[in-house]
Amino acid sequence: MVNCHVSTVKNKSVNCKWICTCRCHSKRFYATSHIRPFRHTHIHPETNMHIHTPMTQHREQFRGSVFCSRILRPTGTVVCPLRFKWEGEARELAICSYTLSINAFDYNCHVDLIKLLKQEGELLRLRKARQKMSELFPLTEEIWLDWLKDEIRLTEEEPNREKVYELFERAKKDYICPDIWLEYAQYSIGGMGSPGGIDKVRSIFERAVTAVGLHMTKGQTVWEAYREFENAILSTLERIHTLFRRQLAIPLMDMEATYAEYEEWSEQGVSEMVKHQYKKALQQMEKCKPFEESLLAAEPPKLAEYQTYIDFELKEGDPARVQITFERTLGENCLVPDMWAKYTTYLDRQLKIKDMVLSTHERAVRNCPWTMGLWKSYVLALERHGADHQTVSDVFEKALNAGFIQATDYVEIWQAYLDYLRRRVDFKSSKELEELRGAFSRSLDYMKQDVEERFGESGDPSCIIMQIWARIEALHCKNMQKARELWDIIMTKGNAKYANMWLEYYNLERSYGDPVHCRKALHRAVQCTSDYPEHVCEVLLTFERVEGSLEDWDLAVQKTETRLNRVNEQRAKVAVKEANMARQEDDRADHRRKAKSDKKSQKKVQKGTRAGEKRRAEQDDYHNEWNEDSEEYMETETGLFGRNAPPGYKPAPPGTKKAQQGVADPAQRQNDDKPELRNDKSSVFISNLAYTLEEPDAKLRTLFETCGPIKQIRPVFSNKGNFKGYGYVQFESPVCVPEALKLDRREVEGRPMFVSPCVDKNKNPDFKVFKYETAMEKQKIFISGLPFSCTKEQLEELCKSHGTIKEVRLVTYRSGKPKGLAYVEFADEAQASQAVLKMDGIDVEGNKISVAISNPPRRNMMDRPGSSRFTSDLMPRQTYGSRGRGRTQLSLLPRSLHRHSAPAGKVENGTAAEQAAATASAPANAAGETKPLSNSDFARMLLSK
């Protein structure tokens, strides 16, 4: 499906006609009334196909869907969908064309379009598609060879071969490819009948052996083709002897066969000089052979093997062999910026050949345009080799449009360009100086508008560019007034609180200004500095000792003492505040330890009670526990768990529950007794709170009162009056619920608070609680292996250099402790993929992290809402009381008397016969149920055995 912008305006001069404008083609055509109501049809002027357009209620202007059997290339605003009737390859062609019209830099889409056009046999469109792709990207060897072979077939009927020659010249610039050179030379042989044709073929062969003749595995084929050509045209023997000698002096694979062929061919034998050169090349080949074998055995892209090979050649020191090894590496690793940077640095420092250096820099930025360092090196190389100013400016403009991944990259490329402009300025001339000032002004506007809009920051918080501009104005232009204006702007951008910024300004005034402005700068620094005020005060006093009068000294002492006293007061307040916070934290820790100790003591007391009485009390309560009152009470504890109590919930007898309710606030108890006042649609369920949370009602009210008017808060307590860690907040209106849900995972006393809709899971079994995606999210990355001390801010700082961050989420346990896992969502898939490539395997505080595209595993059935009902139907159920198995229902039967469960023939506490004998004096109750065994019954059973 593609989009096309079509608008129509009613033509009042013609009945039942509309003037339709296709903004994608800037053409108009008429639409006549269709038989079917509320539809119009017209014939598109480019396609001659009927286009049906549904009308809207507003007949004066409409935008609707267009159904067409031929693609309309859209370039305007995306408004209405265009659907194609055909299927198969034609549909794929349409989709590729549309995708490239939206994003011309989609490399894979270019490749797919070329393949489809070749299958369809549309050679003219195929030529245009390849031409467009070659303008945007360097093409691989396979794509160039396919293109060249197609063009050779097309030009067989044309006498003009220059177009193909031009295409070969373009092809050899992208990468050093032996097959392309060989194809070039063989194609030129076909034109040797023309004037100067033989010389042209020889020239191409000479260039080929210079470029790829040193290729260890493929260079031999080029040499052999060159010799065969000379043999075919019956050249002199000396020329062929020369080719053999040149080839045997180069280390190539299978060079022994070439030497044997030369011995057989040469009538005069092999000279001693040739033998010496051959043996030397053979020794070099033996050194390189292990590296070549490792390349043959390795899987692409073989970067580690190539890196080892390059290190070896760098130690050997042969520039030609270093160059061919780099070229082979980049042919298979063209998207590795570090390899391009290493290659260009070697050329800049070692070979220093202008054409070779500049062409390599150009290829580097074409392959990795997102890497600022390559563009910066390119600009420096152009200046180093004396390129004209327009060329350097054009390269810089391309760099600005390359799409760097972080704001600081734009700062560095601007610095490189401004340095270049400064070096070419003759400060006695006004033309270059005005151009430099204009470039500085433009850079500041660019940082403020383009960079800040994209990254949310300027990338230059310390205003380095403005500092350089101010120093140039002071040093070269002797314009201290302009320098002071620039420093005033720098200080207003949030830098006035830093001592180093004021000292930088002071040093500028000290070097190029006067003592009056130095004193003013230091006085302002004393008042504004907040990080190192003592140091600034010391600098001011030192300055007055050297430059000032007694009055100046007294004033400086007064200001520094006043400032330092104020700073010491502020630090004392902060210290007191921190001490109070530490004391409160210690008190809370003591309270938690005391609560935990009291809880253990209560458990010991409960264990000391008689087990028989507890069991009888439990059995008697089974049928009376769940009356209407208790059902209403459980209604307030629905939330995420439905009618089932949350994990760790210990139900209490009715009497205890009523006593517990009496502990709660009277107004709250009154509301709890009135279920008609409850409204799940305007309520949220709160869970995972700390059991030791003091005054949960007041705490929850403080947290949620910003979401809207609160009607009631219902924290849930245990039968002992302890808070159970969950509750309900009901608002006056349902519109407050979405705002309350935004507080989900808010940290409350060290634990993440869970906030979810108040939904009865029995009535809504398919309600999904888990709010995060369980499928692949290509714009989100998953990070594991993080140190537990890593914070959200630290992780955001680590990831923001790779793109725009939309969300950072640290995965924690329910207790709030980190798991060492995190999810980071970027603005698009490209940024996420770049982050994976850059961050995977790096060290963070000594931990090696793993980074991948987010693809969570499918959740287990037990993790889904309602899954407990599914699994419980498949497993044998054990009958408990109406509240489920509580703690007081644990079996107290000795292990020696345990029996396996058996159907019908056995009862819960023993065989039917044993129970009948033991309970002969205890008749069944009125309901016909067997009376539970007492401790004395168990004693008789043990004695009878």
Side-chain angles (χ1 to χ4, degrees):
M1 181 181 292
V2 274
N3 296 329
C4 185
H5 190 136
V6 180
S7 63
T8 61
V9 180
K10 187 173 183 180
N11 184 12
K12 298 183 179 179
S13 62
V14 183
N15 293 330
C16 297
K17 282 196 175 183
W18 298 70
I19 300 175
C20 304
T21 302
C22 180
R23 299 185 183 179
C24 307
H25 299 80
S26 300
K27 293 186 178 181
R28 287 192 173 189
F29 43 90
Y30 287 96
T32 58
S33 179
H34 194 271
I35 298 175
R36 296 167 63 182
F38 304 110
R39 296 181 67 86
H40 280 71
T41 183
H42 63 264
I43 298 177
H44 197 281
E46 291 189 10
T47 62
N48 292 325
M49 295 292 178
H50 288 275
I51 301 177
H52 302 290
T53 308
M55 294 175 53
T56 62
Q57 295 179 355
H58 303 284
R59 299 173 64 88
E60 305 306 323
Q61 181 176 1
F62 108 106
R63 294 176 182 179
S65 299
V66 178
F67 298 84
C68 181
S69 59
R70 182 176 174 186
I71 182 172
L72 306 179
R73 183 169 179 234
T75 58
T77 307
V78 176
V79 175
C80 56
L82 185 89
R83 300 177 178 88
F84 301 97
K85 295 181 179 180
W86 62 66
E87 298 293 337
E89 294 180 354
R91 179 182 178 85
E92 295 297 327
L93 275 173
I95 294 175
C96 287
S97 299
Y98 169 71
T99 304
L100 291 177
S101 68
I102 299 300
N103 179 17
F105 291 91
D106 191 333
Y107 184 89
N108 294 329
C109 194
H110 278 284
V111 175
D112 294 340
L113 179 62
I114 290 172
K115 290 181 180 178
L116 291 170
L117 289 174
K118 188 171 183 179
Q119 292 174 3
E120 292 289 320
E122 299 189 23
L123 297 181
L124 294 180
R125 291 182 63 189
L126 178 61
R127 178 184 291 174
K128 292 181 180 179
R130 284 167 168 165
Q131 180 69 27
K132 183 66 176 177
M133 184 178 181
S134 66
E135 293 173 358
L136 300 174
F137 305 101
L139 304 185
T140 62
E141 183 179 12
E142 293 77 11
I143 296 177
W144 273 119
L145 288 174
D146 288 342
W147 189 1
L148 291 166
K149 291 176 182 178
D150 291 340
E151 291 295 336
I152 290 172
R153 286 195 296 269
L154 288 174
T155 55
E156 286 178 353
E157 302 175 358
E158 301 177 8
N160 186 8
R161 300 168 60 89
E162 293 301 323
K163 292 183 179 179
V164 181
Y165 285 135
E166 292 176 1
L167 196 61
F168 271 113
E169 290 295 329
R170 290 176 54 192
K172 69 180 183 59
K173 291 181 180 179
D174 282 346
Y175 304 105
I176 302 299
C177 302
D179 293 338
I180 292 179
W181 276 108
L182 186 62
E183 190 72 23
Y184 190 10
Q186 291 175 347
Y187 177 74
S188 65
I189 293 175
M192 67 180 181
S194 59
I198 293 179
D199 293 337
K200 186 177 182 63
V201 175
R202 281 181 178 151
S203 174
I204 293 174
F205 267 117
E206 285 295 331
R207 293 166 60 196
V209 296
T210 302
V212 297
L214 294 177
H215 198 291
M216 285 284 292
T217 57
K218 297 182 178 181
Q220 184 177 3
T221 57
V222 180
W223 287 103
E224 290 176 353
Y226 195 1
R227 291 201 314 272
E228 290 175 1
F229 165 73
E230 295 293 348
N231 273 322
I233 63 174
L234 302 177
S235 297
T236 61
L237 295 179
E238 183 59 30
R239 187 180 294 274
I240 299 176
H241 271 291
T242 301
L243 289 177
F244 267 117
R245 288 195 294 268
R246 289 171 61 188
Q247 181 179 353
L248 291 174
I250 298 173
L252 299 172
M253 300 297 289
D254 199 22
M255 61 185 305
E256 297 90 346
T258 305
Y259 182 78
E261 182 183 354
Y262 182 43
E263 283 184 320
E264 183 179 354
W265 182 85
S266 177
E267 297 177 355
Q268 301 176 355
V270 182
S271 64
E272 292 298 326
M273 182 185 68
V274 175
K275 289 182 179 179
H276 175 71
Q277 291 178 344
Y278 167 70
K279 291 180 180 179
K280 185 177 180 181
L282 190 63
Q283 292 176 357
Q284 183 66 27
M285 189 270 291
E286 293 296 331
K287 292 181 181 179
C288 299
K289 193 172 182 179
F291 299 102
E292 295 291 340
E293 291 175 350
S294 65
L295 288 174
L296 291 175
E299 294 291 333
K302 312 175 185 178
L303 184 59
E305 290 76 12
Y306 274 120
Q307 184 62 60
T308 305
Y309 203 171
I310 290 172
D311 294 339
F312 165 76
E313 293 294 355
L314 288 172
K315 291 180 180 179
E316 292 292 315
D318 187 348
R321 293 206 54 80
V322 173
Q323 182 189 1
I324 192 63
T325 308
F326 267 116
E327 293 290 351
R328 291 176 62 185
T329 305
L330 293 169
E332 297 189 49
N333 300 274
C334 59
L335 300 180
V336 181
D338 293 340
M339 188 58 65
W340 282 107
K342 190 173 183 179
Y343 185 26
T344 54
T345 301
Y346 174 79
L347 295 179
D348 287 334
R349 297 178 180 177
Q350 301 296 328
L351 296 186
K352 301 180 182 179
I353 302 174
K354 178 180 178 180
D355 294 337
M356 182 184 298
V357 170
L358 295 184
S359 64
T360 304
H361 277 288
E362 182 181 4
R363 291 191 293 136
V365 296
R366 274 171 59 81
N367 281 275
C368 304
W370 63 87
T371 307
M372 182 278 305
L374 297 178
W375 287 101
K376 183 178 178 181
S377 300
Y378 192 10
V379 171
L380 292 174
L382 288 170
E383 182 185 4
R384 192 177 296 116
H385 292 280
D388 60 277
H389 175 59
Q390 187 60 43
T391 302
V392 179
S393 298
D394 292 343
V395 170
F396 170 70
E397 295 297 333
K398 290 180 181 178
L400 290 182
N401 297 323
F404 300 141
I405 60 177
Q406 54 187 3
T408 54
D409 290 343
Y410 288 95
V411 178
E412 291 192 39
I413 195 63
W414 267 109
Q415 282 182 313
Y417 183 61
L418 293 170
D419 292 344
Y420 156 75
L421 292 179
R422 197 271 307 163
R423 287 189 287 265
R424 67 185 295 270
V425 169
D426 180 6
F427 287 95
K428 298 178 182 179
S429 173
S430 60
K431 182 178 179 180
E432 288 89 359
L433 180 58
E434 290 304 320
E435 183 180 0
L436 176 61
R437 285 172 172 165
F440 270 112
S441 298
R442 183 191 167 199
S443 68
L444 299 180
D445 293 338
Y446 189 89
M447 292 297 163
K448 183 177 181 180
Q449 297 174 4
D450 298 65
V451 177
E452 285 190 6
E453 287 182 4
R454 179 179 176 186
F455 298 98
E457 58 172 341
S458 67
D460 189 15
S462 299
C463 302
I464 300 297
I465 293 178
M466 295 181 70
Q467 290 187 43
I468 295 174
W469 187 5
R471 190 164 288 275
I472 290 174
E473 292 287 351
L475 174 62
H476 297 287
C477 304
K478 312 302 180 185
N479 189 355
M480 278 302 299
Q481 182 62 32
K482 180 64 176 179
R484 293 181 184 119
E485 292 176 1
L486 292 171
W487 268 102
D488 286 340
I489 298 174
I490 293 173
M491 292 305 181
T492 58
K493 291 184 176 294
N495 294 301
K497 58 184 177 181
Y498 300 117
N500 65 320
M501 300 298 290
W502 284 108
L503 295 179
E504 186 71 23
Y505 178 33
Y506 164 72
N507 290 331
L508 182 70
E509 288 284 359
R510 190 73 170 162
S511 301
Y512 310 107
D514 52 70
V516 175
H517 287 88
C518 288
R519 183 175 290 107
K520 288 182 179 179
L522 290 176
H523 279 285
R524 292 173 60 191
V526 168
Q527 296 299 322
C528 300
T529 301
S530 60
D531 54 352
Y532 298 105
E534 294 88 354
H535 183 55
V536 175
C537 292
E538 183 181 351
V539 173
L540 174 58
L541 295 176
T542 303
F543 172 79
E544 296 298 353
R545 281 192 177 97
V546 177
E547 299 282 347
S549 62
L550 179 60
E551 291 79 6
D552 297 331
W553 170 261
D554 292 338
L555 181 61
V557 171
Q558 180 183 354
K559 285 195 173 184
T560 54
E561 288 180 352
T562 303
R563 176 59 178 163
L564 293 179
N565 290 336
R566 190 183 306 117
V567 169
N568 291 331
E569 291 176 1
Q570 293 174 353
R571 291 174 178 174
K573 290 180 180 179
V574 172
V576 171
K577 184 177 180 180
E578 291 178 352
N580 291 334
M581 293 178 63
R583 191 182 306 108
Q584 292 176 3
E585 182 63 28
D586 293 341
D587 293 341
R588 285 194 292 267
D590 293 340
H591 179 74
R592 287 193 293 268
R593 286 193 295 268
K594 183 178 179 181
K596 187 175 182 180
S597 177
D598 294 344
K599 190 174 182 180
K600 289 183 178 180
S601 300
Q602 292 175 0
K603 287 183 178 180
K604 291 181 180 179
V605 172
Q606 291 175 357
K607 289 181 180 179
T609 59
R610 292 187 303 168
E613 295 179 359
K614 291 170 66 178
R615 181 180 294 105
R616 281 196 297 273
E618 194 73 15
Q619 293 289 343
D620 293 339
D621 288 341
Y622 276 168
H623 302 285
N624 300 324
E625 178 73 13
W626 297 100
N627 52 23
E628 294 179 357
D629 292 337
S630 62
E631 189 69 15
E632 293 176 3
Y633 177 77
M634 195 61 193
E635 187 75 23
T636 66
E637 299 174 12
T638 304
L640 289 172
F641 308 96
R643 302 250 178 214
N644 299 324
Y649 173 71
K650 305 176 183 61
T656 309
K657 185 193 317 183
K658 293 179 181 179
Q660 178 269 326
Q661 289 177 344
V663 177
D665 184 76
Q668 177 185 338
R669 185 175 66 250
Q670 183 179 2
N671 290 335
D672 287 345
D673 295 335
K674 297 180 180 180
E676 65 273 11
L677 296 179
R678 305 172 195 164
N679 185 358
D680 288 348
K681 294 182 179 180
S682 59
S683 301
V684 291
F685 176 69
I686 317 299
S687 60
N688 202 46
L689 296 173
Y691 293 147
T692 58
L693 185 67
E694 298 179 358
E695 298 181 356
D697 183 78
K699 188 68 175 179
L700 292 176
R701 186 174 298 276
T702 303
L703 288 171
F704 289 91
E705 63 184 359
T706 59
C707 303
I710 298 176
K711 187 174 183 179
Q712 60 173 322
I713 297 178
R714 303 194 300 273
V716 179
F717 295 86
S718 66
N719 55 351
K720 299 172 184 177
N722 296 326
F723 180 50
K724 294 185 68 63
Y726 63 95
Y728 298 83
V729 177
Q730 182 175 340
F731 297 92
E732 295 288 347
S733 172
V735 298
C736 304
V737 172
E739 293 296 323
L741 294 177
K742 294 179 181 179
L743 299 180
D744 186 35
R745 265 65 177 182
R746 170 74 66 85
E747 184 173 339
V748 178
E749 292 194 5
R751 292 174 62 91
M753 175 182 65
F754 297 163
V755 184
S756 60
C758 187
V759 177
D760 190 340
K761 302 302 271 311
N762 289 338
K763 298 178 182 178
N764 298 277
D766 295 330
F767 175 74
K768 183 179 179 181
V769 178
F770 193 77
K771 70 175 184 177
Y772 301 108
E773 290 292 335
T774 57
M776 177 177 286
E777 298 172 277
K778 295 183 179 180
Q779 78 283 2
K780 186 181 293 186
I781 63 173
F782 172 71
I783 306 175
S784 60
L786 288 169
F788 293 150
S789 60
C790 182
T791 63
K792 183 177 180 181
E793 291 75 19
Q794 291 174 340
L795 185 59
E796 186 173 358
E797 182 69 22
L798 179 66
C799 299
K800 71 178 184 180
S801 60
H802 306 297
T804 304
I805 298 177
K806 296 177 64 177
E807 183 184 10
V808 176
R809 177 166 66 91
L810 292 175
V811 183
T812 63
Y813 291 97
R814 294 178 66 91
S815 62
K817 295 181 179 180
K819 292 186 176 182
L821 311 174
Y823 291 88
V824 180
E825 183 177 2
F826 289 88
D828 53 38
E829 300 176 9
Q831 295 179 0
S833 301
Q834 186 70 21
V836 172
L837 293 175
K838 294 287 186 180
M839 296 176 59
D840 187 33
I842 68 173
D843 287 338
V844 177
E845 296 182 6
N847 291 32
K848 186 175 182 180
I849 66 172
S850 298
V851 185
I853 296 296
S854 175
N855 187 17
R858 291 184 174 273
R859 303 187 71 210
N860 296 328
M861 290 298 297
M862 288 300 294
D863 294 337
R864 300 180 183 178
S867 61
S868 59
R869 293 187 294 274
F870 174 78
T871 54
S872 62
D873 292 337
L874 301 180
M875 298 178 63
R877 298 173 62 94
Q878 188 172 353
T879 303
Y880 299 113
S882 55
R883 293 186 301 174
R885 180 169 183 172
R887 186 182 60 170
T888 56
Q889 289 181 274
L890 293 174
S891 175
L892 301 179
L893 184 65
R895 272 187 231 130
S896 61
L897 298 180
H898 270 297
R899 296 289 186 272
H900 294 290
S901 59
K906 291 186 179 182
V907 293
E908 188 172 352
N909 290 328
T911 62
E914 290 172 349
Q915 183 165 352
T919 59
S921 61
N925 58 16
E929 296 182 1
T930 305
K931 182 178 179 181
L933 300 180
S934 63
N935 288 345
S936 59
D937 294 333
F938 281 110
R940 286 195 295 271
M941 291 170 60
L942 287 171
L943 293 175
S944 65
K945 288 184 177 294

